[in-house]
């Protein structure tokens, strides 16, 4: 048999080249990778508790062999584990041979006991209830906190003697010496009276759910009471049974009655409750309460309904008598923060304000008199971390480098000796130790997976990288990932806007590409930051691989650029925001590589609202849009958020109607996909129903999809995969590879 060695050798070489080419061929990101398989899941460091001595911190660590979680002690100076404080296998309730599975834990102040939360049930965005257990580290005894039903926000007293919690609208505490339970209030009633936790609108818009706080010495409990009696009910149908179930809850829509809110202090020693005096006006907000370092002096922040006046009250916890120590007003509105710290000297406090045009830190004496402004400049303190009094160092995160970045700084109380403690470009989120010696830095940047590292707070020096997400980085390297690029543009009136752009990896500047604009655009928000974009960023990779450019631009009204830029939209939500997005679309359409006839827009929530405005007020600049869970008329939304930016409908009807897409349905141009969850307790399904009705009345064709019982996020598990597949298909048909002319 004759063998042609030359031909055979050539075949082998070609085969090798084929294998090498195949090996070098990068994979395309799929929707299943993102939403089903968790291919790009980022790891982090969870459940960190700083220990009292400052030398150690504890963290929740999975014991995969036994299927439980352990609590492990780490040496701060090395980042290495020292010992296991609590073995998950030991967490067995009396009479059970199975350990509990906990999803949260808290040490008592003396670190002798631990409170574990199990079987947690989510209620709304920030609220949940759970079965709590108390664990004694010395005896390894695990005891159920209460047998009367699941508890909300179980919290150790500072003296470690008691645990307070709320349940079914009432307040309780348990004496840990004998596990005796005492009920503090008895007025609680669903949809009527709430003691100890927030009503729906406070939880959503003032960003807190727990409504009680122990005094520093553990002798008293300050708590909220919400009287919801006159708040209108919203009825939300839950589907699945033979007869749909009605879920009714109190939801104050713009211009309607709010809860009447009061603050009281319960004295553990004598069992007496004293109501704090916040004045005779009932139609107010109390967005924050906080103990000073004096266990008889409670601070209360009070606002008028329009939220343009803030008063800081100091109240005597024994008598209830209160006085105003600080008052601030604004021509638009005042944003509430947690940037209030009372100094241990008992003579001063630090708080933040936008009164000079940017959010900065100020030092006052206890009578409210200004001592000095601590931070200054045309940049924002975005997050106040705390004050190390021993070394006179304030720690805060700011936008000083760029509105797109967040970095950690320290400064003394005189406003000098400022140090930048984070170096890497991007976004830094910090968990500071109780003694201000160390911090965990949760860092990410565009095109860069998140990392977690341990640093010295004195100079920012790196001690140890705790999570480098190397597995994610290696995975990303195997895929065809397009870079996120930042740019700026100017509108015709000279306003400079920040944006980012993702182009296909095989981008050819001589070709014309379709563009999808992603928008949120609401007051104080940002979509354009130098940070890891998560699932959405990966979905944009899918679209880029299909030949689309994805862009996002932050319009006027968004955050990190000062009060004037943010508050220009006051009393006129939607007007300037959509003008900027339309101008951005026109700017993009003038770029040589963009097909101006194939520009789309999509957004969720406020971004869904903006998408509808773009398609109705954009005069055809957008070929297609996807609106998810949109507000369609601000009259449908809640009091606190809406009236903060628009006043009440009674005072500013035009501000509500002039930019409601309901009134411009007849101007719809372009293809629309409208998506909403029927179980959305936040932006009610009512918004989508009203929009569809308006479009039908205007004889406008559109696509719509509802997700039964899904909440405002319209996501999680198979729902996300289903939704993003539908959205991708819609964009392919109507924007990326359209087969029909744009519907006029």
């Amino acid at each position: 048999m004759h063998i042609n060695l030359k031909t055979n050798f050539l075949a082998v070489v070609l085969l090798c080249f084929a294998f090498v080419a195949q090996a070098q061929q990068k994979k395309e990101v799929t929707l299943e990778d993102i939403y089903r398989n968790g291919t790009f899941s980022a790891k982090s460091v969870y459940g960190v508790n700083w220990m009292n001595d400052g030398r150690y911190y504890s963290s929740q660590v999975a014991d995969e062999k036994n299927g439980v979680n352990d609590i492990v002690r780490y040496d701060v100076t090395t980042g290495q584990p020292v010992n296991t404080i609590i073995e998950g296998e030991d967490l067995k309730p009396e009479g059970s041979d199975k350990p509990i599975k906990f999803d949260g834990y808290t040490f008592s102040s003396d670190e002798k006991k631990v409170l574990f939360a199990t079987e947690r049930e989510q209620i709304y965005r920030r609220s949940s209830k759970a079965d709590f257990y108390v664990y004694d580290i010395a005896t390894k005894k695990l005891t159920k906190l209460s047998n009367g039903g699941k508890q909300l926000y179980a919290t150790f007293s500072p003296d470690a003697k008691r645990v307070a919690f709320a349940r079914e609208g009432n307040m309780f505490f348990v004496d840990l010496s004998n596990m005796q339970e005492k009920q503090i209030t008895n007025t609680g009633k669903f949809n009527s009276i709430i003691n100890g936790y927030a009503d729906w609108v406070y939880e959503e818009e003032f960003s807190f759910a727990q409504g009680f706080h122990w005094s520093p010495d553990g002798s008293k409990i300050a708590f909220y009471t919400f009287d919801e009696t006159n708040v209108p009910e919203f009825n939300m149908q839950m589907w699945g049974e033979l007869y749909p179930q009605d879920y009714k809850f109190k939801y104050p829509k713009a211009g309607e009655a709010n809860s009447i809110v009061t603050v009281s202090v319960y004295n553990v020693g004598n069992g007496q409750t004293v109501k704090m005096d916040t004045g005779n006006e009932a139609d107010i907000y109390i967005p924050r309460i906080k103990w000073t370092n004096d266990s008889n002096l409670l601070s209360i922040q009070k606002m008028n309904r329009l939220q343009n006046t803030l008063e800081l009250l100091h109240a005597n916890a024994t008598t209830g008598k209160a006085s105003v120590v600080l008052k601030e007003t604004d021509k638009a509105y005042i944003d509430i923060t947690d940037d209030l710290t009372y100094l241990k000297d008992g003579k001063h406090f630090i708080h933040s304000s936008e009164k000079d045009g940017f959010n900065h830190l100020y030092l006052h004496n206890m009578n409210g008199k200004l001592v000095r402004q601590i931070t200054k400049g045309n940049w924002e303190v975005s997050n106040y971390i705390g004050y190390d009094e021993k070394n006179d160092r304030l720690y805060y995160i700011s936008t000083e480098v760029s509105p797109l970045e967040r970095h950690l700084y320290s400064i003394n109380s005189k406003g000098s000796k400022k140090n930048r403690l984070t170096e890497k470009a991007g976004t830094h989120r910090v968990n500071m130790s109780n003694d201000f010696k160390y911090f965990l830095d949760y860092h990410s940047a565009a095109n860069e997976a998140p990392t977690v590292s341990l640093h010295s707070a004195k100079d920012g020096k790196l001690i140890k990288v705790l999570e480098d997400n190397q597995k994610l980085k290696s995975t990303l390297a195997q895929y065809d990932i397009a870079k996120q690029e930042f740019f700026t543009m100017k509108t015709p009136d000279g306003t400079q806007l920040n944006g980012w752009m993702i182009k296909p990896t095989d981008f050819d500047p001589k070709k014309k590409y379709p563009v999808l604009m992603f928008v949120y655009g609401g007051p104080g928000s940002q979509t354009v930051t130098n940070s890891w974009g998560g699932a959405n960023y990966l979905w944009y990779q899918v679209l880029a691989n299909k030949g689309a450019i994805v862009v996002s631009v932050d319009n006027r009204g968004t955050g990190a650029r000062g009060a004037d830029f943010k508050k220009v939209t006051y009393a006129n939500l939607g007007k300037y925001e959509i003008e900027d997005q339309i101008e951005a679309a026109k700017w993009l359409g003038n770029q040589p590589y963009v097909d101006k006839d194939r520009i789309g827009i999509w957004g969720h929530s406020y971004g869904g609202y903006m998408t509808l405005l773009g398609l109705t007020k954009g005069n055809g600049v957008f070929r297609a849009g996807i609106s998810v869970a949109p507000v369609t008329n601000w009259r449908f939304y809640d009091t606190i958020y809406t009236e903060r930016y628009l006043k009440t409908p009674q005072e500013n009807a035009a501000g509500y109607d002039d930019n409601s897409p309901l009134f411009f349905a007849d101007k719809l141009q372009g293809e629309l996909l409208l998506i909403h969850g029927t179980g959305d307790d936040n932006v009610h399904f009512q918004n989508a129903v009203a929009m569809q009705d308006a479009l039908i009345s205007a004889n406008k064709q559109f696509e719509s999809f509802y997700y039964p019982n899904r909440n405002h996020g319209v996501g999680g598990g198979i729902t996300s995969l289903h939704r993003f597949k539908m959205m991708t298909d819609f964009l392919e048909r109507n924007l990326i590879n359209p087969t029909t002319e744009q519907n006029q």
Side-chain angles (χ1 to χ4, degrees), residues 575-645:
K575 174 179 168 57
Y576 297 107
E577 299 97 306
I578 199 58
E579 285 179 4
D580 287 352
Q581 293 297 328
I582 291 169
E583 290 302 332
K586 290 178 179 177
W587 180 87
L588 287 163
N590 287 328
Q591 304 310 302
Y593 49 84
V594 170
D595 182 348
K596 65 181 178 61
D597 295 322
R598 285 191 294 159
I599 297 177
I601 185 169
W602 97 277
H604 192 138
S605 194
Y606 201 102
Y609 162 67
M610 292 284 286
T611 296
L612 292 174
L613 285 182
L615 291 177
T616 55
K617 290 192 136 189
N619 198 28
V621 71
F622 297 106
R623 184 186 183 106
I626 302 173
S627 174
V628 184
V631 173
T632 59
N633 188 325
W634 289 107
R635 294 173 187 269
F636 295 152
Y637 202 52
D638 71 60
T639 48
I640 294 178
Y641 184 94
T642 311
E643 294 172 11
R644 180 188 303 155
Y645 307 121

Side-chain angles (χ1 to χ4, degrees), residues 112-125:
K112 293 181 179 179
K113 293 183 173 64
V114 179
L115 199 57
F116 288 104
T118 70
E119 304 293 330
R120 193 184 298 274
E121 290 180 35
Q122 200 69 27
I123 303 173
Y124 299 121
R125 187 191 297 265

Side-chain angles (χ1 to χ4, degrees), residues 158 213-218 222 289-300 312-317 323 325 340-350 365-367 389:
H213 303 278
W214 285 101
S215 64
D217 64 0
I289 61 174
K290 181 185 181 83
W291 286 100
T292 68
N293 290 311
D294 178 350
S295 287
N296 200 45
L297 190 65
L298 181 70
S299 76
I300 301 171
L312 178 64
L313 283 63
H314 285 171
N316 184 302
S323 59
V325 297
L340 176 63
T341 297
Y342 286 91
L343 274 55
K344 293 174 184 175
D345 66 6
K347 298 177 181 178
H348 299 91
F349 65 86
I350 295 166
N365 68 23
M366 287 297 283
N367 293 322
E389 291 188 54

Side-chain angles (χ1 to χ4, degrees), residues 165 167-174 180-188 195 266 271 273:
F165 63 88
R167 179 175 57 221
E168 295 177 353
N170 283 312
M171 283 290 303
F172 303 78
F173 76 83
V174 171
Q180 291 297 305
E181 183 176 308
K182 182 173 178 61
Q183 186 166 340
I184 296 172
T185 66
N186 55 20
T187 57
N195 295 289
Y266 173 81
T273 300

Side-chain angles (χ1 to χ4, degrees), residues 42-50 56-61 72-81 424 429 431 438-443 450-456 462-471 473:
K43 291 185 178 180
S44 191
V45 176
Y46 302 104
V48 170
N49 274 290
W50 296 98
Y56 304 99
Y57 68 90
S58 69
S59 185
Q60 185 174 318
V61 178
V72 178
R73 188 193 317 267
Y74 289 83
D75 188 320
V76 173
T77 60
T78 64
Q80 295 296 325
K424 286 186 178 180
R429 188 169 53 85
N431 183 345
Y438 305 96
F439 66 89
L440 292 181
D441 179 13
Y442 294 77
H443 169 261
T451 58
V452 186
S453 50
L454 178 65
H455 298 257
S456 164
L462 174 67
I463 297 171
K464 182 179 174 61
V465 175
L466 304 180
E467 178 56 66
D468 61 6
N469 267 305
Q470 190 54 53
K471 182 181 177 183
K473 292 174 184 175

Side-chain angles (χ1 to χ4, degrees), residues 632-682:
T632 59
N633 188 325
W634 289 107
R635 294 173 187 269
F636 295 152
Y637 202 52
D638 71 60
T639 48
I640 294 178
Y641 184 94
T642 311
E643 294 172 11
R644 180 188 303 155
Y645 307 121
L646 278 177
K647 306 180 185 178
T648 65
Q650 295 87 339
E651 294 171 283
N652 183 26
Y656 283 76
D657 299 337
D658 287 354
N659 289 287
S660 165
L662 294 183
F663 300 111
F664 302 95
D666 62 328
K667 298 185 183 302
L668 178 76
Q669 294 187 59
E671 302 298 325
L672 167 65
L673 172 59
L674 178 59
I675 299 171
H676 217 117
T678 69
D680 192 336
D681 62 278
N682 184 1

